Amino acid sequence: MCDECQGARCGGKFAPFFCANVTCLQYYCENCWAQIHARPGREFHKPLVKEGADRPRAVPFRWC
């Protein structure tokens, strides 16, 4: 569940992105990631997506 919107902006779907930067440390849905990380100072944070059951990996994220 998205820590920012508690599922309100993503229909309660799984939140795929985790921001490991100390200023965030939250799970985000795609909508909240785009909104929060467009703010100055956060645009260079890298999303992590859980791979399998135990290892996060960096995922390239492009702004459209």
Side-chain angles (χ1 to χ4, degrees):
M1 185 78 58
C2 176
D3 291 319
E4 190 67 28
C5 72
Q6 286 73 45
R9 294 184 191 135
C10 57
K13 293 181 184 175
F14 172 73
F17 300 127
F18 179 76
C19 186
N21 187 285
V22 71
T23 61
C24 292
L25 296 174
Q26 292 193 102
Y27 284 96
Y28 296 96
C29 63
E30 291 183 40
N31 292 328
C32 288
W33 179 275
Q35 181 182 3
I36 298 300
H37 290 88
R39 295 178 184 167
R42 293 187 180 196
E43 64 271 17
F44 298 110
H45 291 190
K46 304 281 190 234
L48 297 175
V49 176
K50 198 150 185 158
E51 179 182 346
D54 60 348
R55 286 189 311 166
R57 64 179 171 91
V59 173
F61 189 82
R62 290 187 177 191
W63 299 104
C64 298

